[in-house]
Amino acid sequence: MENGKALQEALIAYSQDIGVDAIGFCTAAPFFEIEDCLYHREAQGYMCDLESKDYKRKIYPQQTMKNAKSFLVILEAYDVHNKNHDHEDDKLRGHISMTAVSKDYHNILMEKLEKLAVFLKSKVPCETMAFVDISPFSDRAIACRAGLGFIGKNAMLIHKSYGSKVFIGYVLTDYALCKEDCKGTIDCGTCHKCVEACPTQAIVGDKNVNCNKCLSYLTQHKGHIAAEVKNKMGKQIYGCDVCQIVCPYNKVRNKVLEPIITPYPEHESLLSISNKVFKDTYGKTASGWRGKKILQRNSIIALGNSSNKEALHILEKIMDDPRADIRKEIIDAIWRLGFSDGISLLNKMKTCEKDITLLKDMEKAIAGLQEKHRFMEG
Ligand code: SF4
């Protein structure tokens, strides 16, 4: 059996060979340090439906692996091309978060974690389980314990060299890779930039984010999106980078991950994309997991925010979409755009609409636009 220190060193050297940006180790002792925060988040209504409320599994790794002793944690740092900003001001294009335009990070990290698990097993007999994002645990708490950074006010892990532009993955094992955990000493200090910049005031300021206000979550959310939030979504089709862009720890340039899709897709293309092309492009990135419809819904919301008359022509091309919830978003976008030409477009939509609820929505939108333009003309 390998001595602990020598085994850590061998794992560190191997991780560098396979292109891991940072590696750390921590114990699988109960995560009591996050317990109060979990209950606080629930009491304040900050949790969303993508988060597990199985706190016992979050706190006790042994509920997932009976004899769990430690975690091996890795980070993959990322950045985007400067040239990606070329279309930033084009109102007929949306925006996809920098985390979701390259090869799906789940696959990048999982490939490396599986190699590290095989390497570990070649040195010591042990059980291993690898996780990226989808896990019963708190990724950021594990990474903190492993000395890979601290939790910022935006609730993200911040690494001293890579900032928050990092993806986290880890292997849980029944082998004790270390005896002690790291205790962080740095934090955000007096900085409040992300709290001030967040478009929906989702960042509370005490290292908590109200996920039900966070655009990153809402662009993945399947249910209803409130009118006041739609306005704040701007051109976002998937995710939101605002709190990362303003963070002073992110001034560094990390390695650039080659994009598979553009971060600024044309709404017109996205709204007419076939299932096959979507699967072959978006499906290879982290933005594809919720499927085409959610991204198209967000694209229509972004067109409704665009204040650009051309948006009406794009919406006209898809006005007979077979999906009623998509037609509902089209009606809403035409109404929010507010142009008088929207009245004739809605009247045209009415002639082929059979859904009673949508017909009522159209009549309401037509009446609203007529009143608005009568008022403006009068
Ligand atoms: Fe912390 Fe400032 Fe970065 Fe927010 S922007 S995470 S407050 S350092």
Side-chain angles (χ1 to χ4, degrees):
M1 184 154 316
E2 291 256 357
N3 134 320
K5 192 79 195 147
L7 181 54
Q8 275 195 16
E9 279 165 12
L11 283 161
I12 292 167
Y14 180 66
S15 76
Q16 287 163 354
D17 290 347
I18 61 170
V20 167
D21 291 314
I23 184 167
F25 309 92
C26 70
T27 72
F31 284 84
F32 294 130
E33 64 268 39
I34 61 169
E35 195 169 13
D36 287 350
C37 177
L38 292 173
Y39 289 105
H40 174 69
R41 283 176 54 69
E42 186 172 0
Q44 296 295 318
Y46 294 161
M47 295 186 78
C48 67
D49 58 5
L50 298 178
E51 290 177 88
S52 164
K53 287 197 183 137
D54 189 346
Y55 299 153
K56 279 216 157 125
R57 278 192 83 192
K58 261 192 207 298
I59 294 167
Y60 298 96
Q62 293 69 23
Q63 297 241 334
T64 299
M65 182 187 281
K66 199 162 172 263
N67 292 313
K69 297 263 182 357
S70 61
F71 286 95
L72 174 165
V73 195
I74 64 169
L75 300 184
E76 179 82 17
Y78 64 87
D79 224 314
V80 287
H81 282 292
N82 282 330
K83 68 180 183 204
N84 282 341
H85 299 294
D86 284 357
H87 299 298
E88 204 172 349
D89 298 326
D90 186 337
K91 290 194 173 359
L92 299 179
R93 289 175 183 263
H95 181 238
I96 292 178
S97 162
M98 61 180 157
T99 60
V101 292
S102 316
K103 179 177 169 180
D104 190 338
Y105 68 90
H106 296 84
N107 300 335
I108 297 175
L109 281 148
M110 193 52 87
E111 283 164 20
K112 292 179 181 178
L113 290 171
E114 279 168 0
K115 284 182 183 167
L116 281 158
V118 169
F119 183 86
L120 176 61
K121 284 178 171 166
S122 75
K123 301 287 178 190
V124 289
C126 64
E127 193 184 338
T128 59
M129 289 171 88
F131 302 93
V132 181
D133 184 32
I134 303 149
S135 88
F137 311 115
S138 163
D139 300 358
R140 293 157 196 186
I142 294 170
C144 275
R145 259 195 190 181
L148 293 175
F150 68 92
I151 307 290
K153 287 191 180 125
N154 59 1
M156 301 199 74
L157 179 82
I158 300 181
H159 182 270
K160 65 179 187 311
S161 305
Y162 302 125
S164 64
K165 291 179 285 183
V166 288
F167 300 122
I168 308 168
Y170 39 88
V171 173
L172 175 64
T173 175
D174 59 353
Y175 186 81
L177 287 165
C178 64
K179 293 201 177 81
E180 280 188 8
D181 293 321
C182 294
K183 290 185 180 51
T185 49
I186 353 169
D187 60 22
C188 296
T190 55
C191 178
H192 269 88
K193 283 182 192 289
C194 59
V195 182
E196 285 150 18
C198 177
T200 56
Q201 289 81 50
I203 301 175
V204 183
D206 60 354
K207 302 189 179 188
N208 273 303
V209 170
N210 181 350
C211 286
N212 294 302
K213 284 182 160 186
C214 174
L215 290 185
S216 184
Y217 162 68
L218 290 170
T219 55
Q220 301 173 57
H221 175 56
K222 278 189 171 170
H224 174 71
I225 297 198
E228 63 274 17
V229 176
K230 283 184 181 173
N231 291 335
K232 292 180 177 168
M233 281 170 70
K235 60 197 295 171
Q236 287 308 122
I237 290 178
Y238 186 92
C240 171
D241 296 329
V242 171
C243 69
Q244 297 215 79
I245 290 168
V246 299
C247 181
Y249 284 97
N250 283 345
K251 289 231 159 58
V252 287
R253 285 289 291 165
N254 293 336
K255 77 176 172 231
V256 169
L257 297 181
E258 278 308 313
I260 292 175
I261 54 171
T262 167
Y264 297 103
E266 288 174 335
H267 292 303
E268 192 164 1
S269 308
L270 181 57
L271 290 168
S272 60
I273 197 168
S274 69
N275 288 341
K276 180 171 182 337
V277 174
F278 184 84
K279 197 170 162 225
D280 292 346
T281 52
Y282 288 79
K284 290 181 175 148
T285 73
S287 67
W289 78 281
R290 268 297 197 195
K292 187 171 98 166
K293 191 163 94 176
I294 293 293
L295 298 196
Q296 289 183 327
R297 175 204 66 186
N298 298 341
S299 184
I300 295 167
I301 293 173
L303 279 172
N305 289 336
S306 69
S307 311
N308 188 320
K309 224 174 186 176
E310 282 297 308
L312 288 177
H313 298 303
I314 298 173
L315 293 170
E316 185 173 3
K317 287 183 189 167
I318 53 158
M319 69 178 192
D320 55 355
D321 191 287
R323 298 162 296 182
D325 38 4
I326 288 290
R327 296 200 302 283
K328 188 173 176 57
E329 288 301 342
I330 296 171
I331 299 163
D332 188 60
I334 296 171
W335 149 246
R336 289 190 305 110
L337 277 163
F339 296 112
S340 59
D341 290 2
I343 298 169
S344 52
L345 180 53
L346 286 164
N347 275 319
K348 203 168 161 189
M349 269 184 96
K350 260 176 80 179
T351 58
C352 47
E353 184 57 67
K354 301 245 170 0
D355 186 307
I356 307 280
T357 316
L358 293 188
L359 280 165
K360 281 187 185 155
D361 285 351
M362 285 177 199
E363 275 158 21
K364 221 168 126 191
I366 290 167
L369 286 175
Q370 282 170 337
E371 197 183 325
K372 176 183 169 181
H373 288 281
R374 255 199 311 269
F375 176 76
M376 282 163 69
E377 282 155 22

